[in-house]
Amino acid sequence: MHLNTPHPAHHHVDVGDVTLHVVSAGSTGSPVLLVHGFPETWWAFHRVLPLLARHHRVVAVDLRGFGDSDGAGDADSAAAAQDLHRLVEQLGLGRVHVTAQDLSGAAVVRFAAAHPESVRSVAAVETGLAGFGLEALADVARGGSWHIGALASPGVPELLLAGREREFHADWFDRMAAVPGAVGPADLDELVRTYARPGGWSGAAGLYRSLLSEGDELRALLGRSPLRMPVLTVGAAGGPFTHDTFRQVTAGRLDAVQLDGVGHHVALEAPDRLAEALLRFVADVDAQAAGRTTTTVADRTATEPDRP
């Protein structure tokens, strides 16, 4: 299956035990895969996607258990990584530039580490990894967030959040976004629509259960198979956390961009700035792969990062 659409188009793609909802745009250039976090869906990238599609074939996916994708089976990060690989194969994308935002970091890193032949580069936006510090966010005794344990507990999301999706999302973005008006009523309407569907919290529950249990596995995986493709980290409210994480798991080129004045949900809050950073990085990676010279990422901080 090939997607080659100049304007955003919705598709459902069978990747085995689930059908994933994807939105694609762009008809030329190297392929870019956008992977959302929490409490998001593909919609997190709806402002970024057309900006990237001017130069690239772009696909934004709803992970299993999120948005308009199926929620069958376990929605842990290993299953999500396998879904990404199968999606790239089904769509005939070849080697992709893949972007992870927030909670999708483990799924994207698993995909890239297991299938480096399918990944041209990785961009990590405000994300971390279990085993490298992210699990500390679940420690409420030391300032962690209650929502991680709640979502990871079977039955609790449905008990606490069913029928309260709008209140949850409105409060979440009020606390986590720093750009006034960046997440408006239309954004809430779309996100609430899918989280209110039957099983709408299952994807988040699966990824948070992974976060609480996969630290040792990720350390072992990335010790054996560190990321050797170019990596870009994009920090915002989390400061250097994302970059500090990926310094430990990257064995090649590592660039960094810091977007000051932006909250945690970068794609919704600063789509122009995020798109600019991604386009520069991807263009440079593509040019170097083709043996050409181009302007490097202006605020690159490391080309020889510490080894894990």
Side-chain angles (χ1 to χ4, degrees), residues 5 11 23-24 29 41 57 100 108 123 142 169 184 215-216 227 230 276:
T5 55
H11 314 266
V23 180
S24 66
T41 64
R57 293 174 290 157
V108 166
R142 292 176 171 81
H169 280 79
D216 290 344
L227 303 182
E276 179 184 6

Side-chain angles (χ1 to χ4, degrees), residues 281-303:
F281 174 68
V282 166
D284 191 48
V285 171
D286 286 346
Q288 291 193 9
R292 302 191 304 271
T293 301
T294 187
T295 303
T296 57
V297 174
D299 35 5
R300 181 183 300 175
T301 61
T303 55

Side-chain angles (χ1 to χ4, degrees), residues 26-308:
S27 57
T28 60
S30 56
V32 175
L33 176 63
L34 303 174
V35 190
H36 65 83
F38 174 84
E40 301 174 340
T41 64
W42 83 270
W43 184 261
F45 296 105
H46 78 281
R47 300 182 182 114
V48 173
L49 189 148
L51 301 177
L52 300 180
R54 296 171 184 170
H55 306 280
H56 297 274
R57 293 174 290 157
V58 188
V59 174
V61 61
D62 280 339
L63 293 171
R64 68 163 64 197
F66 287 89
D68 290 307
S69 289
D70 290 346
D74 198 344
D76 63 16
S77 67
Q82 186 176 57
D83 291 345
L84 295 176
H85 181 231
R86 290 175 174 172
L87 177 67
V88 168
E89 289 188 326
Q90 285 288 87
L91 298 181
L93 294 176
R95 299 180 68 213
V96 298
H97 300 281
V98 59
T99 294
Q101 180 162 281
D102 182 67
L103 186 57
S104 63
V108 166
V109 163
R110 285 180 182 272
F111 167 42
H115 301 284
E117 75 286 350
S118 297
V119 179
R120 296 178 186 231
S121 72
V122 171
V125 183
E126 282 283 291
T127 189
L129 299 169
F132 299 89
L134 185 62
E135 62 272 36
L137 294 180
D139 188 350
V140 294
R142 292 176 171 81
S145 178
W146 67 272
H147 78 281
I148 297 175
L151 284 166
S153 301
V156 172
E158 294 78 10
L159 178 66
L160 293 182
L161 300 174
R164 300 179 179 87
E165 293 85 3
R166 182 169 292 276
E167 290 84 353
F168 177 89
H169 280 79
D171 175 71
W172 180 279
F173 286 109
D174 183 59
R175 290 184 293 108
M176 300 298 286
V179 178
V183 183
D187 299 306
L188 292 178
D189 287 347
E190 171 59 18
L191 293 169
V192 168
R193 177 187 71 80
T194 56
Y195 276 85
R197 295 176 63 209
W201 297 96
S202 63
L207 292 184
Y208 278 119
R209 281 194 292 271
S210 292
L211 187 157
L212 295 177
S213 63
E214 67 185 350
D216 290 344
E217 183 182 354
L218 287 182
R219 281 196 298 270
L221 169 65
L222 293 164
R224 297 189 307 269
S225 304
L227 303 182
R228 300 189 184 279
M229 66 287 295
V231 175
L232 170 70
T233 64
V234 180
F241 179 78
T242 300
H243 191 69
D244 290 346
T245 297
F246 279 80
R247 287 178 70 246
Q248 301 175 68
V249 303
T250 301
R253 169 180 170 177
L254 179 63
D255 295 3
V257 170
Q258 175 66 32
L259 301 181
D260 295 330
V262 180
H264 180 59
H265 294 274
V266 176
L268 284 169
E269 297 185 61
D272 292 345
R273 294 170 70 186
L274 177 58
E276 179 184 6
L278 293 176
L279 287 170
R280 278 190 305 175
F281 174 68
V282 166
D284 191 48
V285 171
D286 286 346
Q288 291 193 9
R292 302 191 304 271
T293 301
T294 187
T295 303
T296 57
V297 174
D299 35 5
R300 181 183 300 175
T301 61
T303 55
E304 291 295 333
D306 293 344
R307 298 301 190 262

